[in-house]
Amino acid sequence: MATPSTLAVMSESPASRIDSAAVTAAADRLRAAAMQCRPTPPVRDLIGSDDIVAAYAVQRRLADERVAAGATIVGRKIGLTSEAVQKQLGVDRPDFGLLFDDMAYDGGDTVPYSAVLQPRIEAEIAFVLKEDLAGGPLDAAQVRSAIDYATPALEICGSRIQDWDITFGDTVADNASAGAFVLGPVRRNLDQVEPKSVGMQMAINENVVSTGNGAACLGDPITAVVWLARQAREFGEPLRGGQVILSGALGPMRPVRPGDSVTATITGLGKVSVTFGYEGRVRGNQ
């Protein structure tokens, strides 16, 4: 698999206008926050609030470093799929980040609270691909055909930006605020479940804190994957068979604390749960 450095912006994009010193400074700031487990001020003072090219350049630089240190890319996440969140940040488009092998957990696991900075959690549908999405129209029919199965998922979002004070540029640079993800035990093909029609309920310590449905994710989670497939191809690294795709939140994201237990139920896909511990990574059964 190619490293994120191959995610080069298409030639017609204004890559030549990137301020390399600003990209380096933003990457340095975010790297230090991760290493010190201490959030940093926003990086928009360096790369701007909505400079897509610069923001993804920072993301790619940090991802390259992660791969060079031994991590493996296992998929992508789509963020900002909710209209409400887009309005909050003043943007009109989703974003994407990379998923690495050390971010993956199974349903029933305990995730150390310190594993993700300023963690917040949301429920969504994850898709696992059986085919590449590299050629062709990359329309809904092709995307559906390329999906092996859907499974319930919890995304543990995290921000290296202090107090989640983010704009589009901040979150993209910070790998779309990706922290960790949890996949449930149930696998369904798309003949068994229709993503846009599902309902979702998420509870923390048995108290319901978030509800939603498939339509909250760009109208249809499949639409979100279509968008991602086209973006990934344009950026030079198409989606590949075997990759995990987190398609976007089905309802509001909520903060979590040490000791919290979170369970999401998605109609047609069942439950997925995770507990936040104080230390250690403990594997469990759903």
Side-chain angles (χ1 to χ4, degrees):
M1 178 182 297
T3 67
S5 60
T6 63
L7 294 177
V9 180
M10 297 293 283
S11 59
E12 64 268 21
S13 298
S16 61
R17 297 206 297 267
I18 294 177
D19 183 336
S20 59
V23 168
T24 298
D28 289 347
R29 189 179 292 180
L30 290 168
R31 184 190 312 104
M35 293 180 64
Q36 297 169 10
C37 297
R38 181 180 302 169
T40 183
V43 296
R44 55 184 175 268
D45 63 313
L46 300 169
I47 61 170
S49 298
D50 56 6
D51 187 331
I52 298 172
V53 176
Y56 278 111
V58 176
Q59 183 187 121
R60 291 195 304 273
R61 177 169 298 196
L62 292 169
D64 276 345
E65 294 175 3
R66 199 160 177 174
V67 170
T72 300
I73 298 169
V74 296
R76 307 283 178 84
K77 64 149 289 183
I78 310 169
L80 301 175
T81 56
S82 162
E83 182 178 355
V85 174
Q86 288 185 3
K87 288 181 177 178
Q88 179 184 13
L89 296 179
V91 301
D92 60 359
R93 63 180 68 93
D95 68 352
F96 68 83
L98 296 162
L99 301 178
F100 295 89
D101 56 339
D102 58 1
M103 297 165 61
Y105 291 83
D106 295 325
D109 279 355
T110 294
V111 176
Y113 187 78
S114 61
V116 179
L117 270 179
Q118 305 181 110
R120 299 181 178 183
I121 196 163
E122 61 190 25
E124 52 195 272
I125 299 174
F127 299 104
V128 175
L129 302 179
K130 61 183 176 182
E131 299 172 1
D132 294 352
L133 285 168
L138 300 182
D139 57 13
Q142 183 180 357
V143 165
R144 292 178 72 95
S145 178
I147 290 172
D148 189 9
Y149 61 86
T151 190
L154 291 165
E155 181 181 357
I156 305 168
C157 301
S159 182
R160 286 176 278 190
I161 305 299
Q162 189 172 8
D163 299 323
W164 278 86
D165 179 16
I166 58 174
T167 62
F168 186 78
D170 294 306
T171 187
V172 168
D174 192 20
N175 197 28
S177 301
F181 64 96
V182 184
L183 301 184
V186 176
R187 300 177 177 184
R188 297 280 186 265
N189 62 48
L190 297 188
D191 292 330
Q192 298 172 300
V193 63
E194 181 53 57
K196 68 180 179 182
S197 299
V198 304
M200 181 278 295
Q201 179 174 283
M202 185 176 73
I204 298 179
N205 303 326
E206 301 184 353
N207 298 312
V208 175
V209 296
S210 179
T211 60
N213 53 58
C217 179
L218 289 184
D220 184 343
I222 297 297
T223 300
V225 182
V226 168
W227 175 86
L228 175 64
R230 293 173 177 175
Q231 290 293 303
R233 182 170 68 181
E234 181 178 343
F235 274 58
E237 181 55 37
L239 303 182
R240 299 298 184 185
Q243 289 188 334
V244 176
I245 308 299
L246 298 182
S247 59
L250 303 179
M253 178 171 58
R254 299 300 185 198
V256 290
R257 299 176 298 180
D260 282 347
S261 293
V262 184
T263 298
T265 303
I266 300 176
T267 55
L269 291 173
K271 296 181 178 182
V272 56
S273 64
V274 70
T275 299
F276 289 86
Y278 290 88
E279 60 184 60
R281 175 174 175 140
V282 181
R283 292 292 184 179
N285 295 317
Q286 181 72 20

